[in-house]
Amino acid sequence: MDKIIISGLILAGSFFILVAAIGLVRFPDLFSRLHAGTKAPSFGILLIVLGVCLYFNTPVIYLKGFFILIFIYLTAPLAAHAISRSFKQKD
Amino acid sequence: MEDSISGIVLLISFSLLLGALVLAFYRLLKGPSINDRITAMDLIASVVMGFVLVYSVLINQSVYFDIPVIISLISFFGTVAVSTYLKHKNG
Amino acid sequence: MMKRAYYLVTFIVFYLYKLIEANFYIAWDILTPKMNSHPVFMEIPLTLTTNLGLLLYSNLLSMTPGSLSMDISPDRKKLKVHVLYFTTEEEMMREFMNIQQKIKRITG
């Protein structure tokens, strides 16, 4: 039962990262690409980290996974903000 | 090998991540502006984190879980550094 | 104190719900052949004043379906947002104000 949940989480995470890459190729302008490049990879990493945490199942791993998620979720919007700011300056 | 995840799942997951890497690399080569390239680099960092996490499940070593913590920090600093450089260059 | 803790818990549940909704929404839009995106810039008047409230608000806006917070005006009165699926001005603005009210109840 555990194996099914972990497999599902890892597959869903990889799928969301692939969706982000497809969106990066398909969207027509920079800001729409930023939409795809900010949300979907963070969610994919969240799912994969959850799956790997459940797989190893020790307290240290849960702590490190929590750190990864905090970093990602604090920094992904900031990175998008920095990229959009540097683009707007140009014109 | 009783409680390890089946190899098929990890293989599919690796293929999805590899597809994401190829698509992101296409955007990195083609991207009309530098900001598109930075977005693609950000996505590539996420893809590499996914690779390391899935690989740590494959070889059953929890030590590899430290690497994504470092990558998440470095990719954020890289994105902000390049954006700030562009902003100062243009403005 | 108890009331604020209750609001915090409901806000976290709301955040997670929005997160999942946003990702499935954007995945559906990317994977179907016809992309019905209609990108537009909007400016939201801010009623939040604290640093923590502004951080939470811009973070949540970046993670909700089809909006990405771009820039804040120097006097902290307006937040510039890029909206990907624009419907009508009033509807979007009501949604943004609703979220802002939720955060104001937590941070004060």
Side-chain angles (χ1 to χ4, degrees):
Chain A
M1 190 58 209
D2 279 0
K3 280 162 67 175
I4 298 175
I5 295 176
I6 295 169
S7 312
L9 282 173
I10 291 180
L11 282 180
S14 317
F15 171 74
F16 273 106
I17 295 181
L18 180 63
V19 163
I22 296 174
L24 206 63
V25 172
R26 280 195 67 194
F27 273 122
D29 63 318
L30 174 74
F31 293 114
S32 310
R33 277 179 208 140
L34 270 178
H35 274 277
T38 309
K39 293 180 191 102
S42 330
F43 192 62
I45 291 291
L46 178 126
L47 291 177
I48 295 183
V49 165
L50 266 181
V52 178
C53 282
L54 286 175
Y55 177 74
F56 287 117
N57 207 0
T58 56
V60 181
I61 290 291
Y62 282 113
L63 187 67
K64 284 175 191 164
F66 182 70
F67 276 137
I68 294 180
L69 296 184
I70 292 289
F71 285 149
I72 295 244
Y73 272 89
L74 278 182
T75 57
L78 286 177
H81 170 77
I83 294 174
S84 66
R85 266 270 282 270
S86 71
F87 185 68
K88 208 177 54 180
Q89 210 83 26
K90 208 176 289 177
D91 50 45
Chain B
M1 289 298 277
E2 264 310 304
D3 50 62
S4 68
I5 307 292
S6 84
I8 306 278
V9 171
L10 297 180
L11 199 63
I12 295 172
S13 172
F14 272 129
S15 333
L16 292 177
L17 287 173
L18 194 64
L21 189 62
V22 169
L23 290 174
F25 201 76
Y26 170 75
R27 178 53 72 192
L28 181 67
L29 287 180
K30 185 168 171 283
S33 70
I34 301 180
N35 302 75
D36 291 302
R37 290 166 212 246
I38 304 172
T39 315
M41 287 296 284
D42 214 23
L43 181 64
I44 285 176
S46 295
V47 174
V48 171
M49 283 168 67
F51 264 121
V52 174
L53 286 167
V54 178
Y55 187 65
S56 79
V57 172
L58 180 68
I59 63 170
N60 209 348
Q61 290 275 323
S62 66
V63 184
Y64 279 59
F65 207 76
D66 292 340
I67 304 173
V69 183
I70 312 292
I71 296 179
S72 65
L73 274 179
I74 290 179
S75 91
F76 170 65
F77 283 133
T79 305
V80 172
V82 178
S83 304
T84 312
Y85 164 71
L86 281 178
K87 207 170 76 182
H88 282 274
K89 203 181 90 178
N90 295 322
Chain C
M1 192 61 209
M2 279 306 289
K3 224 177 171 69
R4 190 172 279 192
Y6 169 72
Y7 285 142
L8 187 65
V9 171
T10 53
F11 177 72
I12 291 174
V13 172
F14 176 75
Y15 189 106
L16 290 178
Y17 169 70
K18 277 286 180 192
L19 192 67
I20 294 169
E21 188 197 356
N23 282 290
F24 277 98
Y25 202 90
I26 205 163
W28 175 254
D29 191 45
I30 287 171
L31 291 179
T32 46
K34 179 176 168 295
M35 306 186 98
N36 50 357
S37 65
H38 180 212
V40 80
F41 282 104
M42 282 177 77
E43 285 202 332
I44 305 175
L46 285 173
T47 56
L48 295 162
T49 47
T50 56
N51 280 332
L52 179 65
L54 285 175
L55 172 70
L56 276 178
Y57 188 52
S58 51
N59 204 324
L60 178 60
L61 276 191
S62 288
M63 289 305 171
T64 45
S67 60
L68 192 69
S69 55
M70 288 277 155
D71 209 351
I72 190 166
S73 66
D75 55 350
R76 295 182 160 203
K77 289 275 164 44
K78 283 194 187 309
L79 184 69
K80 197 173 176 194
V81 173
H82 182 256
V83 180
L84 193 54
Y85 306 107
F86 185 74
T87 51
T88 56
E89 182 89 27
E90 299 97 52
E91 199 173 328
M92 308 293 302
M93 206 51 103
R94 204 179 59 226
E95 177 76 24
F96 291 141
M97 285 304 170
N98 190 8
I99 297 172
Q100 203 162 339
Q101 202 59 42
K102 275 185 204 295
I103 294 174
K104 206 173 174 57
R105 284 192 308 204
I106 299 172
T107 60

